Structure formats: structure tokens, C-alpha cells
Amino acid sequence: MLKSEAMPIASKAVKIFLAVVGVVVAAALLAALLFTMFFDINRYKPRIEAEMSRALAMNVAIEGQLALTLASGLRVKLAKVRVSNRGAELAFVEALDVAIPLMSIFRDEIAYSTVVATGARVSIRRDTAGKYNYERMPADTAQSRPLDLAKVSFTDLSVVYGDQQPDDRLELSACNGDVTDLRTPGGEPLSKHVSFNGQFRCAALKGPGLDKDRVVTDVTFTVLAKQGIFDVDPITMQAYGGQGTAKIRMDRSLAVPTLTVNASLPKFRVEKLLKSPPSGKSVSGLLNFSANLSMRGSTQLAMRQSARGDMALSGASLTLSGVDLDQQLQKFELSQSLNLLEVGALLFVGPISLVVTKGVEVVGLAKQGGASTSIRNVVSRWTVEKGVAHATDVALTTNENRVAVHGDLDFVRNEFQGIVVALVDHNGCAKARQKVSGPFSKPIADQSNILSPVEPLLKLLDSAKKLFSSGQDKCEVFYRGSLPSPK
């Protein structure tokens, strides 16, 4: 009997308990709602600015209004947030949506859980001493505070990176992505201690040699940062009609930072890389490009001076429209009136080494109406040591001729060094050659190889002499590379 009476009593107690809990929760929700309706968080703007400034060890200014909502928990919305360091702007965010535990507002230190950033514009620069604009000066004792964020989401993010020269500027635009498990113990330098996982997709990449007609699009990448080592792998992109891949590792945990880049762009269209000149001449076809480079240093100059690795360009069945190159090369053997640099300029082309072609018109040859040239093969292989690229196998072949290149490209000084472009015969011997020197932007073709009016006659006499020679005379082979003679 006692047992049967205990059951209704227990059931009633549970109902009372649930009712009390419901009343408490409803009261808490009502209180929170009234709190957000009547609590003016803008009165705390100076305190929030100060807290964010202390957390980043930078200057944070909130130029817009603050709002408090209960959407998915207590959230603070900030408008027009500007972050600066050492007197220069580092970031500007149109809107920040920050999840904050309610009780942390009344504590000495505000806590954050997740952040959503919309319309962020980040500018990262490195000065001549190799110091980034997010780093503190040695005399500045301010230290960033520990951070532990579960997730930071970005919408319409753009990131600009550059050194002191305008040509060094890189910009990723219209990026969306997430950074998870963002942690830093605080202190300096931030880049040596921060850890996170990130995944992003960006609409476009602009940089040196890239304009509105030659832009890299649909860039996706994953970032893993841990103890000063940043692995960006994999990277995919659409570039010049091809699908490119790459991976980058930056190690800033060492006293001297190191950078490794591996990139591949197979089957891209050369006509998308090179602007078609108004004269109606053009180069079309598919090329393959790859680069494996490593460098170390605290400044861009030091990085260039230490660069080593290899770069390669290759392709087959290209078409040079508006020019009969074989006909012009045949005339060149007699008159030497052709600029061989313009013939060999295609051998310097590449997404990374595009700067080399800035002063050279790749199809700057005399226009011939209705003419065209079939370029059978192109190979352009370079080894890089201390920022200088050395030609190892650089040549192209047409139906009747072969042109090869010797020499170096100095990316530290941005100039040609000992470059020789030669028309070679079936033995690889130079039938005619031209030396090239000077800066990439304004190369100088040596005119000493251009024959005088009487020299064609001497050349014919020399050819007749060879008919009666024993055939034992041998030339110094100029080209021993992979492309066979077309004849």
C-alpha cells in the first residue's frame, strides 16, 4: 500500500521540478531578452576596444555601432573595426559578429568563442629590414594575450601582401573560408606560436605580371599552422586556361625563415599568358610549366639571393601566326638582319619568370600577311642557384630550323647575364648567334654579330670551301640538348 502511494508522490515531485525549471529558464530568457533590449552595449565600446587591443597587442578602433543580440546565444555585432600596428593599418573589417559568454561581460576579461568576419581587408607588408607590419618593435613591451577560438569564419575577405616595391604586390580577393582551432599562447612573435587549420576559396589572385586580362581564378587552399611552420597544401587554381596545383611551406620557427614552393601548371594556353599584339601576330598552343624552388632569409633580397631549384617549360605543336619564321631565318643566314632575341623570347616565358619577357616582344618579327609558322617543340629548362637561373636545355624547333639559348637570368639584379641566342645546324653548331645583355625591362641585343654588306659574299666563299674540304674540320657544339634537328 505504501509503495503504491509513493508512485504518485514521486511523479508529482518530478512534474513540480520540471515546472520550476521551466519557469527559471523562461525567466532567464525573458531577462536576457530585456537585457538585450534595454542594455546599451555602446557604453562599453571603449572597454571592448581596450580589451581587443590588449588581446592583439595592437590598436583596435571600432568606428561603427555595437549591437547585442540573442541569435544562437549572446552575440555582439561590431561595425567598421580597424586594426593598426606601428602607425600603419593592418586590417579593416566591415562587420564582426562575436559570440561572447554573457557572464564574461561582467568579469575583468572578456572571453570569445566564435567570430564571423564580413568584408575584411587585410594588408600584410614587410619592410626593408624583413619585419612584418603585424610584428612589434623591439622597444615595444606590449604582449599579445592568449587566444583560443573554436572557429573564425570569413566572408568576402581580401588579403594584400607586398614588400617595398609595387611589382611585389600579391592580392587574393573575394575569399570565403574558415579558420578552426585558432590558438596562441600570447607574447611575441605571434607567427612563431600561432596554430590553426584553415580552408579557403578565393575568386581571384592578382600579382606581378597579372592584369585584368591575365588573372588567376578559383584559388582554393588549405593551411595548417603549428609552432611557426605554415603548410599551404594543396593549392589549386585556374590559370591561363589550365588547372594549376602548388604547395608552399614557410618555416618561421628558425632564426632565418625558409620558404619552399612547388608549382605545376600543365596544358595552359600560351595565348592567354601573352597579350596578342595589335599587328595581328600571335602565338597559340599548349605549354607545360613547373617550378621547385627553396629560399631562406629575413628580407626579400636575401630570399632572392638564396633561391635555388629548377624551372621548366615545354610544349609541342604551337602556331606562330602572321610570321613565316623559317623564311625569315633563311634570310637571316645571309643578311643577319633578324633580331634573334625576338625569336628566342618564347623560351623565356613562364608564369614565374614572366618578368623576363617584359622588354621583349615575343612575336615582334616583321609581319607577313597570311603567313604562319609551326613550332614543333619548345623546351626551356633552368637550374637556379643563388637567385640566378642557368640555362640547361633551352631550345625550340620549327619545320626547318632550331634555335637554342645559353646563359643566365639574374633574378637578383633583374638582368640578362651572358645570354646568347643561336641558330644551330643539325650538328648543334651555331650558324649565327646574338648576345643579349642588360635589364629584363630593356635588353640590349649585341649588334656586333650583324654582318656587313660584303660578309654574305665571304660566307658563300666559305661554303664553297667546305665542299672541297676533307670533312675533318669540326665546330664547337653550341647545343647538346633534348630537341633533335628538324632536318
Side-chain angles (χ1 to χ4, degrees), residues 307-380:
R308 58 178 301 174
D310 60 78
M311 296 188 295
L313 182 79
S314 63
S317 302
L318 277 70
T319 300
L320 175 58
S321 300
V323 175
D324 187 337
L325 188 55
D326 285 321
Q327 185 181 94
Q328 294 202 24
L329 287 173
Q330 184 179 16
K331 292 179 180 179
F332 175 61
E333 288 191 72
L334 296 176
S335 66
Q336 301 281 287
S337 62
L338 184 64
N339 188 342
L340 273 180
L341 176 59
E342 293 174 347
V343 177
L346 183 63
L347 300 171
F348 301 127
V349 175
I352 288 180
S353 58
L354 180 63
V355 64
V356 176
T357 64
K358 284 184 178 179
V360 184
E361 189 176 355
V362 175
V363 286
L365 307 171
K367 180 183 176 183
Q368 298 169 279
S372 67
T373 303
S374 174
I375 300 176
R376 288 186 179 181
N377 291 285
V378 173
V379 61
S380 183

Side-chain angles (χ1 to χ4, degrees), residues 48-65:
I48 294 175
E49 287 178 330
E51 176 62 28
M52 294 177 70
S53 296
R54 284 194 296 269
L56 298 175
M58 299 178 187
N59 182 47
V60 178
I62 305 172
E63 299 177 353
Q65 293 295 304

Side-chain angles (χ1 to χ4, degrees), residues 38 95 227:
F38 297 103
Q227 296 299 316

